[in-house]
Amino acid sequence: MRLAVLLGVVGMVAWLPNVSMATQATRAPFGQTGDGKTVEIVTLTNTHGMRARIMTYGASLQSLLVPDRRGKLADVVLGYDSLQGYLDRRQYFGATVGRYAIRIARGRFTLDGKTYQLTLNEAPNSLHGGVKGLDMQLWKIVDLKQGPQASVTLEYVSPDGDQGYPGTLTIRATYALSEDNQLTIAYTATTDKTTIVNLSNHTYWNLGGEGSGTVMDQRLTIAGAAITPVDAASIPTGQILSVADTPYDFRTAKPIGRDIRDGRSQQLLFGHGYDMNWVIARSETTQPRVVARVEDAQSGRVMTLLSTKPGLQFYSGNFLDGTTVGKAEHIYRQGDAFVLEPQLFPDTPNHPEFGSARLDPGQTYRNTIIYRFSVDSGNATKH
Ligand code: BGC
């Protein structure tokens, strides 16, 4: 009898930590759009204190708490405390971008002999999906799961002809948080007519915490030996340029700001800093591979980025101009964040040599992005 009770207690004790080990997922209202629709926010948490908040407006990462080397949490993504900031100004904070991320020259492309004209929101080009991209749409929560990996799946059905894109596109974004401090975003899309698609996430990161100042001292590695240079209108010229002996060489870790003032670089002048696509590979993979890594020596936070896509847009927050008052009344200034967007090369539909953005009915488009967080203990050996 006594033994049975004892075993029961031991069993419960062994069971309890498993319960608290589970990651959690909850949902709540976050505000209303101008036309009175409710925007919801989902909170995913793990037992290390990591917490991701994802809102249905733009399927956006609204905040992400990540521990530093002492376990102290900070929100490492820029944005606003409430919905209104996101509605007032389109800055793509944390947002899902598409139907075609980055630029399409003159907003025009040809598919099976037919030319399509997209809406132009950055004349003469179409940027991040056009005048009303996925970042401005209200997505639906279609699934919510608790541990071992808490997740939320959001869905948006973009109608045939939306912003000029052919085909009804059913898009899903699944954000998942694991116990080992990994946030995954898995994008999928299917269509009822042949179309083009290129989705990515536009989170502005600062590993020191949003509002903590510049990211210019944070050390970046990009696993790419070339870039696709752009013209003065930020459209790829079609060249593939080796990064050797240029400010774009991040093959070994260096502070983001080390070479950003190199006036010999026309690309840095065009972009007001880094704003270009790195060639990670010439084709995509089924298994995500490491495409970049960022380390913040002060906090010890390290973010390793994995993706299945061949391109990586690195943008050094050049157009944050001190006019945005974000979370906790923080002013965001130029260089206060970096954006890393794994995707196809920009303007691929007009550059067959870059690959293909085509999606046919019956196929599933996929982009899996993994943000893996760890800490650097601060010892001499950093790599
Ligand atoms: C692009 C920039 C653009 C920014 C807008 C980035 O993805 O590379 O050129 O200005 O998005 O936030």
Side-chain angles (χ1 to χ4, degrees):
M1 242 347 228
R2 271 195 199 145
L3 187 66
V5 171
L6 187 67
L7 283 177
V9 170
V10 169
M12 266 184 69
V13 170
W15 175 77
L16 279 174
N18 283 337
V19 171
S20 62
M21 277 292 286
T23 52
Q24 303 291 319
T26 57
R27 65 196 275 185
F30 190 54
Q32 290 204 332
T33 57
D35 53 357
K37 296 200 177 101
T38 299
V39 173
E40 284 189 274
I41 193 147
V42 168
T43 304
L44 308 177
T45 46
N46 75 10
T47 59
H48 306 292
M50 232 179 111
R51 191 198 72 180
R53 300 191 87 199
I54 299 104
M55 63 168 174
T56 53
Y57 184 73
S60 309
L61 181 62
Q62 188 269 335
S63 80
L64 186 68
L65 297 183
V66 178
D68 70 2
R69 67 164 70 88
R70 285 177 200 87
K72 191 169 163 258
L73 297 170
D75 185 354
V76 296
V77 313
L78 274 61
Y80 297 98
D81 290 321
S82 66
L83 179 65
Q84 201 54 45
Y86 295 91
L87 298 178
D88 285 348
R89 192 165 165 193
R90 188 182 187 192
Q91 285 166 294
Y92 312 99
F93 284 136
T96 294
V97 282
R99 295 171 50 163
Y100 197 96
I102 311 288
R103 294 174 180 83
I104 294 199
R106 301 180 332 281
R108 208 175 296 160
F109 64 95
T110 302
L111 204 55
D112 295 335
K114 192 170 171 209
T115 299
Y116 295 89
Q117 179 63 57
L118 305 174
T119 56
L120 307 178
N121 54 328
E122 197 200 61
N125 304 316
S126 190
L127 171 68
H128 295 323
V131 168
K132 193 166 183 192
L134 302 179
D135 58 295
M136 298 169 78
Q137 301 293 352
L138 191 56
W139 297 53
K140 256 197 208 121
I141 298 171
V142 293
D143 192 31
L144 198 62
K145 283 198 181 81
Q146 311 279 350
Q149 178 151 281
S151 68
V152 58
T153 299
L154 301 149
E155 184 182 89
Y156 176 68
V157 181
S158 171
D160 186 11
D162 188 6
Q163 308 306 306
Y165 290 92
T168 310
L169 193 69
T170 303
I171 311 156
R172 286 190 165 200
T174 299
Y175 283 78
L177 178 66
S178 71
E179 265 303 284
D180 53 358
N181 290 1
Q182 190 166 287
L183 180 73
T184 301
I185 308 177
Y187 289 115
T188 63
T190 54
T191 185
D192 62 356
K193 269 188 204 161
T194 297
T195 191
I196 57 162
V197 60
N198 181 39
L199 309 177
S200 198
N201 179 277
H202 200 287
T203 294
Y204 283 78
W205 302 95
N206 184 331
L207 296 187
E210 65 75 33
S212 68
T214 177
V215 297
M216 291 299 132
D217 295 332
Q218 299 183 12
R219 293 164 67 84
L220 171 67
T221 314
I222 299 180
I227 60 162
T228 52
V230 292
D231 63 17
S234 298
I235 294 297
T237 59
Q239 279 169 283
I240 303 276
L241 180 78
S242 163
V243 297
D245 303 317
T246 73
Y248 329 120
D249 193 349
F250 283 92
R251 287 173 296 178
T252 49
K254 70 174 179 187
I256 290 174
R258 180 183 288 172
D259 298 327
I260 205 168
R261 289 184 179 78
D262 186 341
R264 289 166 301 178
S265 162
Q266 203 184 32
Q267 296 294 300
L268 289 174
L269 281 164
F270 283 163
H272 299 203
Y274 292 103
D275 188 4
M276 59 218 52
N277 169 65
W278 266 253
V279 177
I280 302 299
R282 293 310 301 264
S283 59
E284 60 188 85
T285 47
T286 44
Q287 287 310 311
R289 60 189 153 200
V290 172
V291 298
R293 178 183 151 98
V294 188
E295 311 152 45
D296 174 37
Q298 244 185 327
S299 66
R301 289 189 191 88
V302 177
M303 180 174 89
T304 306
L305 177 65
L306 294 90
S307 151
T308 49
K309 292 294 164 193
L312 178 72
Q313 185 83 9
F314 162 44
Y315 167 60
S316 50
N318 314 323
F319 300 108
L320 293 173
D321 61 1
T323 61
T324 296
V325 182
K327 296 173 185 174
E329 308 294 320
H330 288 141
I331 292 175
Y332 298 145
R333 296 167 58 88
Q334 187 177 44
D336 279 359
F338 60 87
V339 180
L340 292 167
E341 300 159 79
Q343 54 181 284
L344 296 176
F345 301 174
D347 203 27
T348 287
N350 293 308
H351 286 283
E353 71 276 19
F354 284 175
S356 171
R358 182 185 179 107
L359 182 72
D360 286 308
Q363 295 179 325
T364 301
Y365 162 90
R366 289 178 203 283
N367 185 6
T368 303
I369 306 172
I370 300 172
Y371 308 93
R372 194 176 276 166
F373 292 90
S374 54
V375 287
D376 168 341
S377 58
N379 295 333
T381 44
K382 292 227 163 88
H383 304 290

